[in-house]
Amino acid sequence: MSSNHNLLSKLPSMTVLLQQSDVMELCEKYPESFVQARLRKVLDNVRSDILSGWISAQKGLPEIDFYVCQTEALIKRDLSNRIQFAVNGTGVILHTGLGRAALSSSAQEALSEAAARYSILATNRETGKRGDRNSHNDDLLCDLTGAEASLVVNNNSAAVMLALNTFGEGRESIISRGELVEIGGSFRVPDVMRRSGTVMVEVGTTNRTHLRDYEEAVTDATSVLLKVHPSNYRIEGFHKEVAIRELCDLAKERNLIIIHDIGSGALVDLRQWGLDYEPTVQAALSEGADIVTFSGDKMLGGPQCGIIVGRRDLIEVMKTNPLMRAFRCGKLTLSALNGTLRLFLDPEKLPETHPIYAMIAAPVEIVRSRARKIIRKLKEIENGMAAVEIADGITEMGSGSLPARGIPSSLVVLTPDGLSAEKFSSALRMSDYPLFTRIENDRVVIDARTVADDEISWIVKAVAQVAEVKS
Ligand SMILES: *Cc1c(COP(=O)(O)O)cnc(C)c1O
């Protein structure tokens, strides 16, 4: 411990560091306080390395150059785009950690038009007065889903929260025990219900809920029947749930509002590409739900947002909820959504116009030839660090969409030599071409289905960079 303290007292002072000619140059280029803050961070890191014993008296303190280089690296990092692109080799199409959907060019164009200039976002052009920012997507959403009206908020969680708060606050909302689901950590139906201010009334059992369970639970205080799609798992075997259609008479008789959170919000029937059926928004509405909520960045493949469609009178009430101000979307989101929705007017073309549907629809032979191409290019570079081969595999939809069945795919399998798969995949992530892979049986796997053709060269560069550092 004492030798550690000895080291601490030998750390260069800020004054000494600021007198280094390289640092003085940095201070001419950038504000001094900006440079100083980064110098301080580097010093702090060295200090905690001393305290943790990582830097010992034996190893000695780093040279002055080290502080300067580290500071330069931090400056470079902080002045570049921190939300860097990533190459998704994980085989999870809607990867929440990687930003879920890659946007279509239609969405990108709409987004950049809105970003670069003023827009008519919340203005009524005719009168010049304040207009409704939701009007721009309303026609399309109603056309595509058959709804009377729509409303867009920050994500589906906000959509559910807004609907429950508007119609269930201080009243009872009934939900089946089979639908008290958790969707990725922070979205847990009981928690969301509690926070919305509604009183949760659970009915039925985990695997079976009957219409009479709902009927017996309705009281004068009941205002909502909530149904939640168990997006990320399936109950098989002895199982019964009550369809919305069966709840309609009860809702009408007792004046209740049926809210259906369908989660992934497919607008097209996914069976045409060999996937499992995922309830479409249109189907959920035609079953008789008053309000349907879904995500904008799951099967829609748009920007992060939550979409509420349903009865016009109810949507109008939701718009007046003070939470709406906190939940409303900005122009970037609403524009990107608009660019995305337009593609669904021509659903046959989706595999050409929408990157998510291109990934879903690509025949496995095409994916396999992409995997072969990656392997060919990897064999061209100096890569003494990993054996490369091809294998069959499965791509997942991700984000709690379609858990049951994946899509057949083709994998590039790297077996690293003298390095663990974890270390190798971490180095690939940290390269200048951040490549995300998955690990299977101690090998690093790149799923060719979630990789775009123009990303192949980046994969090669990422591997080359790791190989170079290692050699
Ligand atoms: C994904 C999902 C949510 C959460 O949606 P976000 O847009 O991620 O907030 C809520 N409910 C269901 C059923 C879901 O599948």
Side-chain angles (χ1 to χ4, degrees):
M1 196 67 203
S2 62
S3 66
N4 274 355
H5 278 119
N6 215 359
L7 277 181
L8 283 178
S9 66
K10 287 189 184 140
L11 274 174
S13 68
M14 184 59 86
T15 323
V16 166
L17 287 169
L18 285 170
Q19 280 162 359
Q20 303 301 308
S21 62
D22 287 344
V23 174
M24 278 155 68
E25 248 172 61
L26 286 175
C27 289
E28 267 166 39
K29 246 163 109 184
Y30 310 106
E32 189 171 321
S33 60
F34 177 81
V35 178
Q36 270 200 36
R38 274 135 200 93
L39 272 172
R40 203 168 298 122
K41 209 178 254 176
V42 175
L43 274 171
D44 285 346
N45 286 345
V46 174
R47 197 171 288 123
S48 58
D49 281 350
I50 293 172
L51 290 174
S52 72
W54 183 252
I55 294 179
S56 60
Q58 233 169 354
K59 230 166 132 189
L61 282 177
E63 306 284 332
I64 288 284
D65 269 1
F66 171 86
Y67 300 90
V68 180
C69 287
Q70 292 281 307
T71 302
E72 265 173 328
L74 278 183
I75 290 174
K76 188 171 158 219
R77 186 196 70 174
D78 289 345
L79 291 180
S80 60
N81 178 18
R82 290 292 296 273
I83 306 183
Q84 220 182 332
F85 73 91
V87 181
N88 181 7
T90 62
V92 178
I93 294 180
L94 297 169
H95 194 300
T96 303
L98 300 179
R100 288 199 186 159
L103 295 182
S104 60
S105 13
S106 163
Q108 291 172 46
E109 279 159 28
L111 177 66
S112 77
E113 184 172 329
R117 303 180 185 288
Y118 294 113
S119 65
I120 59 165
L121 177 70
T123 297
N124 179 327
R125 289 166 82 179
E126 226 168 85
T127 62
K129 298 223 168 70
R130 185 59 71 89
D132 180 357
R133 66 178 61 215
N134 268 292
S135 63
H136 312 292
N137 286 312
D138 191 56
D139 291 341
L140 269 174
L141 279 169
C142 293
D143 261 12
L144 292 168
T145 66
E148 289 176 10
S150 70
L151 184 56
V152 182
V153 290
N154 276 324
N155 49 38
N156 188 28
S157 308
V160 176
M161 179 69 84
L162 181 69
L164 282 174
N165 177 265
T166 307
F167 303 113
E169 191 183 24
R171 317 257 298 159
E172 290 173 3
S173 298
I174 301 179
I175 181 155
S176 158
R177 291 196 172 90
E179 295 169 17
L180 292 174
V181 298
E182 170 178 310
I183 315 245
S186 51
F187 185 93
R188 308 183 88 195
V189 170
D191 297 342
V192 173
M193 290 184 78
R194 198 169 305 119
R195 272 292 159 135
S196 75
T198 197
V199 178
M200 178 173 78
V201 176
E202 307 166 38
V203 297
T205 62
T206 308
N207 57 330
R208 287 174 74 82
T209 302
H210 306 273
L211 180 58
R212 62 168 189 276
D213 294 325
Y214 286 90
E215 285 168 345
E216 284 163 12
V218 175
T219 69
D220 289 343
T222 310
S223 64
V224 169
L225 302 178
L226 176 64
K227 237 182 123 57
V228 178
H229 180 53
S231 298
N232 47 5
Y233 71 99
R234 291 268 188 284
I235 300 180
E236 296 199 345
F238 195 53
H239 166 234
K240 168 154 178 29
E241 64 174 309
V242 182
I244 299 262
R245 205 168 274 123
E246 302 171 67
L247 291 172
C248 288
D249 286 342
L250 176 63
K252 193 172 253 169
E253 197 180 302
R254 303 298 299 259
N255 206 14
L256 309 174
I257 293 168
I258 302 180
I259 300 174
H260 193 181
D261 172 19
I262 62 167
S264 72
L267 288 180
V268 289
D269 189 338
L270 300 171
R271 284 173 295 195
Q272 61 190 297
W273 296 295
L275 297 175
D276 281 338
Y277 177 69
E278 184 75 9
T280 61
V281 182
Q282 300 87 307
L285 281 168
S286 67
E287 274 204 316
D290 298 299
I291 290 169
V292 172
T293 68
F294 57 100
S295 293
D297 54 352
K298 288 185 181 170
M299 289 316 300
L300 202 60
Q304 179 196 303
C305 62
I307 300 172
I308 306 170
V309 291
R311 267 169 53 187
R312 178 175 304 282
D313 57 330
L314 300 179
I315 300 258
E316 290 305 322
V317 179
M318 276 190 264
K319 284 185 184 174
T320 63
N321 187 325
L323 281 176
M324 196 47 221
R325 175 72 188 214
F327 289 173
R328 76 180 188 188
C329 295
K331 59 184 177 181
L332 303 181
T333 302
L334 293 171
S335 311
L337 176 63
N338 196 257
T340 305
L341 287 173
R342 269 181 267 140
L343 302 176
F344 287 85
L345 293 172
D346 194 353
E348 314 244 294
K349 287 242 173 69
L350 282 169
E352 291 150 58
T353 57
H354 194 318
I356 297 305
Y357 287 85
M359 285 181 199
I360 293 172
V364 72
E365 304 80 60
I366 299 285
V367 179
R368 194 169 293 126
S369 70
R370 186 183 296 139
R372 286 212 189 91
K373 187 169 171 194
I374 296 171
I375 290 172
R376 214 165 44 241
K377 300 255 171 203
L378 283 177
K379 286 190 169 156
E380 281 168 17
I381 59 165
E382 198 62 41
N383 163 32
M385 64 173 314
V388 191
E389 60 202 324
I390 197 165
D392 289 337
I394 298 286
T395 305
E396 277 173 54
M397 209 54 233
S399 284
S401 312
L402 305 165
R405 201 184 325 168
I407 312 170
S409 188
S410 184
L411 315 174
V412 175
V413 182
L414 297 151
T415 312
D417 182 18
L419 186 71
S420 71
E422 275 79 16
K423 284 250 167 64
F424 186 35
S425 64
S426 161
L428 293 171
R429 290 195 297 273
M430 294 301 293
S431 75
D432 290 339
Y433 306 87
L435 169 61
F436 287 72
T437 61
R438 67 169 189 260
I439 295 177
E440 273 174 15
N441 307 323
D442 273 339
R443 299 185 307 177
V444 172
V445 166
I446 302 166
D447 187 326
R449 189 178 283 281
T450 49
V451 169
D453 282 322
D454 61 2
E455 292 170 348
I456 292 177
S457 63
W458 290 339
I459 293 180
V460 178
K461 283 176 180 161
V463 174
Q465 208 177 58
V466 175
E468 194 179 312
V469 170
K470 205 207 147 216
S471 63

